[in-house]
Coordinates of all heavy atoms in Angstrom, one line a residue:
M1 N -10.4 -3.5 6.0 CA -10.8 -2.6 5.0 C -10.7 -3.0 3.6 O -11.0 -2.3 2.7 CB -10.0 -1.3 5.3 CG -10.4 -0.2 4.5 SD -9.8 1.4 5.1 CE -9.8 2.3 3.6
S2 N -10.4 -4.2 3.4 CA -10.2 -4.7 2.0 C -11.4 -4.8 1.2 O -11.4 -4.8 0.0 CB -9.4 -6.1 2.1 OG -10.3 -7.0 2.7
D3 N -12.6 -4.9 1.9 CA -13.9 -4.9 1.2 C -14.4 -3.5 1.0 O -15.5 -3.5 0.3 CB -14.9 -5.7 2.0 CG -14.4 -7.3 2.1 OD1 -13.7 -7.7 1.2 OD2 -14.8 -7.9 3.1
F4 N -13.8 -2.5 1.4 CA -14.4 -1.1 1.3 C -14.4 -0.7 -0.2 O -13.4 -0.9 -0.9 CB -13.6 -0.1 2.1 CG -14.2 1.2 1.9 CD1 -15.3 1.6 2.7 CD2 -13.5 2.2 1.1 CE1 -15.8 2.9 2.5 CE2 -14.0 3.5 0.9 CZ -15.1 3.8 1.6
R5 N -15.5 -0.2 -0.6 CA -15.6 0.4 -2.0 C -16.3 1.7 -1.9 O -17.3 1.9 -1.1 CB -16.4 -0.6 -2.8 CG -15.9 -1.9 -3.0 CD -14.7 -2.0 -4.0 NE -14.3 -3.4 -4.3 CZ -13.2 -3.9 -3.7 NH1 -12.6 -3.2 -2.7 NH2 -12.9 -5.1 -3.9
F6 N -15.9 2.7 -2.7 CA -16.6 3.9 -2.9 C -17.9 3.6 -3.7 O -18.0 2.8 -4.6 CB -15.8 5.0 -3.5 CG -14.6 5.4 -2.7 CD1 -13.4 5.0 -3.0 CD2 -15.0 6.2 -1.6 CE1 -12.3 5.5 -2.2 CE2 -13.9 6.7 -0.8 CZ -12.6 6.3 -1.1
D7 N -19.0 4.4 -3.4 CA -20.3 4.2 -4.0 C -20.4 5.3 -5.1 O -20.6 6.5 -4.7 CB -21.3 4.2 -2.9 CG -22.8 4.0 -3.5 OD1 -23.0 4.2 -4.6 OD2 -23.6 3.7 -2.7
D8 N -20.4 5.1 -6.3 CA -20.5 6.0 -7.4 C -21.8 6.9 -7.4 O -21.9 7.9 -8.0 CB -20.4 5.4 -8.7 CG -19.0 4.9 -9.0 OD1 -18.1 5.3 -8.4 OD2 -18.9 4.0 -10.0
T9 N -22.8 6.3 -6.6 CA -24.1 7.0 -6.5 C -24.1 8.0 -5.4 O -25.1 8.8 -5.3 CB -25.3 6.0 -6.4 OG1 -25.1 5.4 -5.1 CG2 -25.3 5.0 -7.4
K10 N -23.1 8.0 -4.6 CA -23.0 9.0 -3.4 C -22.1 10.1 -3.8 O -21.2 10.0 -4.7 CB -22.5 8.2 -2.2 CG -23.6 7.2 -1.7 CD -23.1 6.6 -0.4 CE -24.1 5.6 0.1 NZ -23.7 5.0 1.4
T11 N -22.3 11.2 -3.0 CA -21.4 12.4 -3.1 C -20.0 12.1 -2.6 O -19.8 11.1 -1.9 CB -22.0 13.6 -2.4 OG1 -22.0 13.2 -1.0 CG2 -23.4 13.9 -2.8
F12 N -19.1 12.9 -3.0 CA -17.7 12.8 -2.4 C -17.8 12.9 -1.0 O -17.1 12.1 -0.3 CB -16.9 14.0 -3.0 CG -15.5 14.1 -2.3 CD1 -14.5 13.2 -2.7 CD2 -15.4 15.0 -1.2 CE1 -13.3 13.2 -2.0 CE2 -14.1 14.9 -0.6 CZ -13.1 14.1 -1.0
T13 N -18.6 13.8 -0.4 CA -18.6 14.0 1.0 C -19.1 12.7 1.8 O -18.5 12.3 2.7 CB -19.5 15.2 1.4 OG1 -19.0 16.3 0.8 CG2 -19.7 15.4 2.9
D14 N -20.2 12.1 1.2 CA -20.7 10.8 1.7 C -19.7 9.8 1.7 O -19.5 8.9 2.6 CB -22.0 10.5 1.0 CG -23.2 11.3 1.3 OD1 -23.1 12.1 2.4 OD2 -24.1 11.4 0.6
N15 N -19.0 9.6 0.5 CA -17.9 8.6 0.4 C -16.8 8.8 1.2 O -16.3 7.9 1.9 CB -17.5 8.5 -1.1 CG -18.4 7.6 -1.9 OD1 -18.7 6.5 -1.6 ND2 -18.8 8.2 -3.1
F16 N -16.4 10.1 1.5 CA -15.2 10.4 2.3 C -15.6 10.1 3.8 O -14.8 9.5 4.4 CB -14.8 11.9 2.2 CG -13.6 12.2 2.8 CD1 -12.4 11.7 2.5 CD2 -13.6 13.1 3.8 CE1 -11.2 12.0 3.1 CE2 -12.3 13.5 4.5 CZ -11.2 12.9 4.2
E17 N -16.8 10.4 4.2 CA -17.2 10.0 5.5 C -17.3 8.5 5.7 O -16.8 8.0 6.7 CB -18.6 10.6 5.8 CG -19.2 10.3 7.2 CD -18.3 10.8 8.3 OE1 -17.6 11.8 8.2 OE2 -18.2 10.1 9.4
A18 N -17.8 7.8 4.7 CA -17.8 6.3 4.8 C -16.3 5.8 4.9 O -16.1 4.8 5.7 CB -18.5 5.7 3.6
F19 N -15.4 6.4 4.1 CA -14.0 6.0 4.2 C -13.4 6.2 5.6 O -12.8 5.4 6.2 CB -13.2 6.7 3.2 CG -11.7 6.7 3.3 CD1 -11.0 5.5 3.0 CD2 -11.0 7.7 3.8 CE1 -9.7 5.3 3.2 CE2 -9.7 7.6 4.0 CZ -8.9 6.4 3.7
L20 N -13.6 7.4 6.2 CA -13.2 7.7 7.6 C -13.8 6.7 8.6 O -13.0 6.3 9.5 CB -13.6 9.2 7.9 CG -12.8 10.3 7.1 CD1 -13.3 11.6 7.5 CD2 -11.3 10.2 7.5
Q21 N -15.0 6.5 8.4 CA -15.7 5.5 9.4 C -15.0 4.1 9.2 O -14.8 3.4 10.3 CB -17.1 5.4 9.1 CG -17.9 6.7 9.6 CD -19.3 6.6 9.3 OE1 -19.9 5.6 8.8 NE2 -20.1 7.7 9.5
E22 N -14.7 3.7 8.1 CA -14.1 2.4 7.8 C -12.7 2.3 8.4 O -12.3 1.4 9.1 CB -14.1 2.1 6.3 CG -13.5 0.7 6.0 CD -14.4 -0.4 6.3 OE1 -15.6 -0.2 6.6 OE2 -14.0 -1.5 6.4
V23 N -11.9 3.4 8.2 CA -10.6 3.5 8.8 C -10.7 3.4 10.4 O -10.0 2.7 11.0 CB -9.9 4.7 8.4 CG1 -8.5 4.9 9.2 CG2 -9.6 4.7 6.9
E24 N -11.7 4.1 10.9 CA -11.8 4.2 12.3 C -12.2 2.8 13.0 O -11.8 2.4 14.0 CB -13.0 5.3 12.8 CG -12.5 6.6 12.6 CD -13.6 7.7 12.7 OE1 -14.8 7.3 12.4 OE2 -13.3 8.8 13.0
R25 N -13.0 2.1 12.1 CA -13.4 0.7 12.6 C -12.1 -0.2 12.5 O -12.0 -1.0 13.4 CB -14.4 0.1 11.7 CG -15.8 0.4 12.0 CD -16.9 -0.3 11.2 NE -16.9 0.0 9.8 CZ -17.7 1.0 9.4 NH1 -18.3 1.8 10.2 NH2 -17.7 1.2 8.0
G26 N -11.3 0.0 11.6 CA -10.1 -0.8 11.5 C -9.0 -0.4 12.5 O -8.3 -1.3 13.1
D27 N -8.9 0.9 12.8 CA -7.8 1.4 13.6 C -8.3 2.8 14.2 O -8.1 3.8 13.4 CB -6.5 1.5 12.9 CG -5.3 1.9 13.8 OD1 -5.5 2.7 14.7 OD2 -4.2 1.4 13.5
A28 N -8.8 2.8 15.3 CA -9.4 4.0 15.9 C -8.4 5.2 15.9 O -8.8 6.3 15.6 CB -9.9 3.7 17.3
E29 N -7.2 4.9 16.3 CA -6.2 6.0 16.4 C -5.9 6.6 15.0 O -5.8 7.8 14.9 CB -5.0 5.5 17.1 CG -5.1 5.2 18.6 CD -4.0 4.4 19.2 OE1 -3.5 3.5 18.5 OE2 -3.9 4.5 20.4
M30 N -5.7 5.7 14.1 CA -5.4 6.2 12.8 C -6.6 6.9 12.1 O -6.5 8.0 11.5 CB -4.9 5.0 11.8 CG -3.6 4.4 12.2 SD -2.2 5.7 12.2 CE -1.6 5.3 13.8
G31 N -7.8 6.4 12.4 CA -9.0 7.0 11.9 C -9.1 8.5 12.6 O -9.5 9.4 11.9
K32 N -8.8 8.6 13.8 CA -8.9 9.9 14.5 C -7.9 10.9 13.9 O -8.2 12.0 13.6 CB -8.6 9.8 15.9 CG -8.7 11.2 16.7 CD -8.5 11.0 18.1 CE -8.5 12.3 18.9 NZ -8.6 13.6 18.2
I33 N -6.6 10.4 13.5 CA -5.6 11.2 12.9 C -6.1 11.7 11.5 O -6.1 12.9 11.2 CB -4.3 10.5 12.8 CG1 -3.7 10.4 14.2 CG2 -3.4 11.3 11.9 CD1 -2.5 9.4 14.3
L34 N -6.7 10.8 10.8 CA -7.2 11.2 9.4 C -8.4 12.2 9.6 O -8.4 13.2 8.8 CB -7.6 10.0 8.6 CG -6.5 9.3 7.9 CD1 -7.1 8.1 7.1 CD2 -5.7 10.2 7.0
R35 N -9.3 11.9 10.5 CA -10.4 12.7 10.7 C -10.0 14.1 11.1 O -10.5 15.1 10.7 CB -11.5 12.1 11.7 CG -12.8 13.0 11.8 CD -13.8 12.3 12.6 NE -14.3 11.0 12.1 CZ -15.2 11.0 11.1 NH1 -15.7 12.1 10.6 NH2 -15.7 9.9 10.7
D36 N -9.1 14.2 12.1 CA -8.5 15.5 12.6 C -7.9 16.3 11.5 O -7.8 17.5 11.6 CB -7.5 15.2 13.7 CG -8.2 14.8 15.0 OD1 -9.5 14.8 15.1 OD2 -7.5 14.4 15.9
N37 N -7.4 15.6 10.5 CA -6.7 16.2 9.3 C -7.4 16.2 8.0 O -6.9 16.4 7.0 CB -5.3 15.6 9.1 CG -4.4 16.0 10.3 OD1 -3.9 17.1 10.5 ND2 -4.3 15.1 11.3
A38 N -8.7 15.9 8.1 CA -9.5 15.7 6.9 C -9.5 17.0 6.0 O -9.4 16.9 4.8 CB -11.0 15.3 7.2
A39 N -9.6 18.2 6.6 CA -9.7 19.4 5.8 C -8.4 19.6 5.0 O -8.4 19.9 3.8 CB -10.0 20.6 6.6
L40 N -7.3 19.3 5.7 CA -6.0 19.4 5.0 C -5.9 18.3 3.9 O -5.4 18.7 2.8 CB -4.8 19.2 5.9 CG -4.5 20.5 6.8 CD1 -3.5 19.9 7.9 CD2 -4.0 21.5 6.1
L41 N -6.4 17.1 4.1 CA -6.4 16.1 3.2 C -7.1 16.5 1.9 O -6.7 16.3 0.8 CB -6.8 14.7 3.7 CG -6.9 13.6 2.8 CD1 -5.5 13.3 2.2 CD2 -7.5 12.4 3.6
I42 N -8.3 17.0 2.1 CA -9.2 17.4 1.0 C -8.6 18.5 0.2 O -8.7 18.6 -1.0 CB -10.6 17.7 1.6 CG1 -11.4 16.5 2.0 CG2 -11.5 18.4 0.5 CD1 -12.6 16.7 2.8
S43 N -7.9 19.4 0.9 CA -7.4 20.6 0.3 C -6.1 20.3 -0.6 O -5.7 21.2 -1.3 CB -7.0 21.7 1.3 OG -5.9 21.3 2.1
I44 N -5.7 19.1 -0.7 CA -4.5 18.8 -1.5 C -4.8 18.8 -2.9 O -4.0 19.3 -3.7 CB -4.0 17.3 -1.1 CG1 -3.3 17.4 0.3 CG2 -3.0 16.9 -2.1 CD1 -3.0 16.0 0.8
M45 N -6.1 18.5 -3.3 CA -6.5 18.6 -4.7 C -7.4 19.8 -4.9 O -8.4 19.9 -4.3 CB -7.2 17.4 -5.2 CG -6.4 16.1 -5.2 SD -5.1 16.2 -6.5 CE -6.0 16.1 -8.0
V46 N -6.9 20.7 -5.7 CA -7.6 21.9 -6.0 C -7.8 22.0 -7.5 O -6.8 22.2 -8.3 CB -6.9 23.1 -5.5 CG1 -7.6 24.5 -5.8 CG2 -6.7 23.1 -4.0
D47 N -9.1 22.0 -8.0 CA -9.3 22.1 -9.4 C -8.5 21.1 -10.2 O -8.0 21.3 -11.3 CB -9.1 23.5 -9.9 CG -10.0 24.5 -9.3 OD1 -11.2 24.2 -9.0 OD2 -9.6 25.7 -9.1
G48 N -8.4 19.8 -9.8 CA -7.7 18.8 -10.4 C -6.2 18.8 -10.4 O -5.5 18.0 -11.0
E49 N -5.7 19.8 -9.6 CA -4.3 19.9 -9.5 C -3.8 19.8 -8.0 O -4.6 20.1 -7.2 CB -3.8 21.3 -9.9 CG -4.1 21.6 -11.4 CD -3.2 20.9 -12.3 OE1 -2.1 20.6 -11.9 OE2 -3.8 20.6 -13.4
R50 N -2.7 19.1 -7.8 CA -2.1 18.9 -6.5 C -1.6 20.2 -6.0 O -0.8 20.8 -6.6 CB -1.2 17.8 -6.4 CG -1.7 16.5 -6.7 CD -0.6 15.3 -6.4 NE -1.3 14.0 -6.6 CZ -1.2 13.3 -7.6 NH1 -0.6 13.7 -8.7 NH2 -1.8 12.1 -7.6
D51 N -1.9 20.5 -4.7 CA -1.4 21.7 -4.0 C -0.3 21.2 -3.2 O -0.5 20.7 -2.1 CB -2.5 22.4 -3.3 CG -2.1 23.7 -2.6 OD1 -1.0 23.7 -2.0 OD2 -2.8 24.7 -2.7
T52 N 0.9 21.4 -3.6 CA 2.1 20.9 -2.8 C 2.2 21.5 -1.4 O 2.5 20.8 -0.4 CB 3.4 21.2 -3.5 OG1 3.3 20.7 -4.8 CG2 4.6 20.7 -2.8
K53 N 1.8 22.7 -1.3 CA 1.8 23.4 0.1 C 0.9 22.7 1.1 O 1.2 22.4 2.2 CB 1.4 24.9 0.0 CG 1.4 25.6 1.2 CD 1.0 27.1 1.0 CE 0.5 27.6 2.2 NZ -0.3 28.9 2.1
N54 N -0.3 22.4 0.5 CA -1.3 21.7 1.4 C -0.9 20.3 1.7 O -1.1 19.7 2.8 CB -2.7 21.8 0.8 CG -3.3 23.1 0.8 OD1 -2.8 24.0 1.6 ND2 -4.2 23.4 0.1
R55 N -0.2 19.6 0.7 CA 0.3 18.3 0.9 C 1.3 18.2 2.0 O 1.4 17.4 2.9 CB 0.8 17.8 -0.4 CG 1.5 16.3 -0.3 CD 0.5 15.3 -0.1 NE 1.0 14.0 -0.1 CZ 0.8 13.1 -1.2 NH1 0.3 13.5 -2.2 NH2 1.4 11.9 -1.0
V56 N 2.3 19.2 2.0 CA 3.3 19.3 3.0 C 2.6 19.6 4.4 O 3.0 19.0 5.4 CB 4.3 20.4 2.6 CG1 5.3 20.7 3.8 CG2 5.1 20.0 1.4
A57 N 1.7 20.4 4.5 CA 0.9 20.8 5.7 C 0.2 19.5 6.2 O 0.3 19.2 7.4 CB -0.1 21.8 5.5
F58 N -0.4 18.7 5.4 CA -1.1 17.5 5.8 C 0.0 16.5 6.3 O -0.2 15.9 7.4 CB -1.8 16.8 4.6 CG -2.4 15.5 4.9 CD1 -3.5 15.3 5.7 CD2 -1.7 14.3 4.3 CE1 -4.0 14.1 5.9 CE2 -2.2 13.1 4.6 CZ -3.4 12.9 5.4
N59 N 1.0 16.3 5.5 CA 2.1 15.3 5.9 C 2.7 15.7 7.3 O 2.9 14.9 8.2 CB 3.1 15.1 4.9 CG 2.7 14.5 3.7 OD1 1.7 13.8 3.6 ND2 3.5 14.6 2.6
T60 N 3.0 17.0 7.5 CA 3.6 17.5 8.7 C 2.6 17.3 9.9 O 3.0 16.8 10.9 CB 3.9 19.0 8.6 OG1 4.9 19.1 7.5 CG2 4.5 19.5 9.9
S61 N 1.4 17.6 9.7 CA 0.4 17.4 10.8 C 0.2 15.9 11.2 O 0.2 15.6 12.4 CB -0.9 18.1 10.3 OG -1.8 18.0 11.4
V62 N 0.1 15.1 10.2 CA 0.0 13.6 10.5 C 1.3 13.1 11.1 O 1.2 12.3 12.1 CB -0.3 12.8 9.2 CG1 -0.2 11.3 9.4 CG2 -1.7 13.2 8.7
L63 N 2.4 13.6 10.7 CA 3.7 13.2 11.4 C 3.7 13.6 12.8 O 4.1 12.7 13.6 CB 4.9 13.7 10.6 CG 6.3 13.3 11.1 CD1 6.4 11.7 11.2 CD2 7.3 14.0 10.3
K64 N 3.3 14.8 13.1 CA 3.3 15.2 14.5 C 2.3 14.3 15.3 O 2.7 14.0 16.5 CB 2.9 16.6 14.5 CG 3.9 17.6 14.1 CD 3.4 19.1 14.2 CE 4.4 20.0 13.6 NZ 4.0 21.4 13.7
A65 N 1.2 14.0 14.7 CA 0.2 13.2 15.5 C 0.7 11.8 15.7 O 0.6 11.2 16.7 CB -1.1 13.1 14.7
L66 N 1.5 11.2 14.7 CA 2.0 9.9 14.8 C 3.1 9.9 15.8 O 3.2 9.0 16.7 CB 2.5 9.4 13.5 CG 1.5 9.0 12.5 CD1 2.1 8.7 11.1 CD2 0.7 7.8 13.0
D67 N 4.0 10.9 15.8 CA 5.0 11.1 16.8 C 4.5 11.2 18.2 O 4.9 10.5 19.1 CB 5.9 12.3 16.6 CG 6.9 12.1 15.4 OD1 7.0 11.0 14.9 OD2 7.4 13.1 14.9
A68 N 3.4 12.0 18.4 CA 2.7 12.0 19.7 C 2.2 10.7 20.1 O 2.3 10.3 21.3 CB 1.6 13.2 19.7
L69 N 1.6 10.0 19.2 CA 1.0 8.7 19.5 C 2.1 7.7 19.9 O 2.0 7.0 20.9 CB 0.3 8.1 18.3 CG -0.5 6.8 18.4 CD1 -1.6 7.0 19.4 CD2 -1.0 6.5 17.0
A70 N 3.3 7.7 19.3 CA 4.5 6.9 19.5 C 5.0 7.2 20.9 O 5.3 6.4 21.7 CB 5.4 6.9 18.4
A71 N 5.1 8.5 21.1 CA 5.7 9.0 22.4 C 4.8 8.6 23.5 O 5.3 8.1 24.6 CB 5.9 10.6 22.4
G72 N 3.5 8.7 23.4 CA 2.6 8.2 24.4 C 2.6 6.8 24.7 O 2.6 6.3 25.7
S73 N 2.8 6.0 23.6 CA 3.0 4.6 23.8 C 4.2 4.2 24.5 O 4.2 3.3 25.4 CB 2.9 3.9 22.3 OG 3.2 2.5 22.5
Q74 N 5.3 4.9 24.2 CA 6.6 4.6 24.8 C 6.6 5.0 26.3 O 7.2 4.3 27.1 CB 7.7 5.2 24.0 CG 8.0 4.7 22.7 CD 9.0 5.5 21.9 OE1 9.5 6.5 22.4 NE2 9.3 4.9 20.7
S75 N 5.9 6.1 26.6 CA 5.9 6.6 27.9 C 5.0 5.6 28.8 O 5.2 5.6 30.0 CB 5.3 8.1 28.1 OG 4.0 8.0 27.8
H76 N 4.2 4.8 28.2 CA 3.4 3.8 29.0 C 4.0 2.5 28.9 O 3.4 1.5 29.3 CB 1.9 3.8 28.4 CG 1.2 5.1 28.6 ND1 1.0 6.1 27.7 CD2 0.6 5.6 29.8 CE1 0.4 7.1 28.2 NE2 0.1 6.8 29.5
G77 N 5.2 2.3 28.4 CA 5.9 1.1 28.4 C 5.5 0.1 27.4 O 6.0 -1.0 27.4
G78 N 4.7 0.5 26.4 CA 4.3 -0.4 25.4 C 4.9 0.0 24.0 O 5.5 1.0 23.9
T79 N 4.7 -0.9 23.1 CA 5.1 -0.7 21.7 C 3.9 -0.9 20.9 O 3.0 -1.7 21.3 CB 6.2 -1.5 21.1 OG1 5.9 -2.9 21.3 CG2 7.5 -1.2 22.0
R80 N 3.8 -0.3 19.7 CA 2.7 -0.5 18.8 C 3.2 -1.0 17.5 O 4.2 -0.6 17.0 CB 1.9 0.7 18.6 CG 1.2 1.2 19.9 CD 0.3 2.3 19.7 NE -0.1 2.7 20.9 CZ -1.4 2.8 21.3 NH1 -2.3 2.6 20.5 NH2 -1.7 3.2 22.5

């Protein structure tokens, strides 16, 4: 993902989708977690201000997904 760049000629939505696709190419599981939480991620910034409540909700949701991923990995005898 080191070569990824946002395109100033594209909309935020188009750039965000390109970002999600790039993350998915690099790590499908992490890409899925971000895509599943995209609405929460986008809602962190409201009118140029950070929404702490939405940030906490995003972090909590991602943590739960990561915990579930780790638990699944451990139950199958592997580590990631």
Side-chain angles (χ1 to χ4, degrees):
M1 186 160 156
S2 61
D3 293 334
F4 179 79
R5 300 282 186 264
F6 289 107
D7 184 339
D8 291 340
T9 65
K10 293 184 178 179
T11 65
F12 170 82
T13 302
D14 290 339
N15 275 311
F16 189 63
E17 179 59 32
F19 168 73
L20 291 174
Q21 289 175 4
E22 183 70 16
V23 172
E24 289 168 336
R25 276 191 287 278
D27 188 325
E29 293 165 328
M30 293 303 126
K32 179 175 179 357
I33 289 171
L34 278 179
R35 186 173 292 282
D36 289 348
N37 291 284
L40 285 172
L41 178 59
I42 291 170
S43 72
I44 291 172
M45 290 298 289
V46 177
D47 296 326
E49 297 292 326
R50 286 189 177 99
D51 184 316
T52 304
K53 179 182 157 194
N54 289 343
R55 176 71 176 255
V56 169
F58 172 77
N59 290 347
T60 300
S61 185
V62 169
L63 180 59
K64 286 180 183 178
L66 291 171
D67 285 345
L69 188 62
S73 176
Q74 291 172 358
S75 70
H76 292 99
T79 58
R80 293 187 189 236

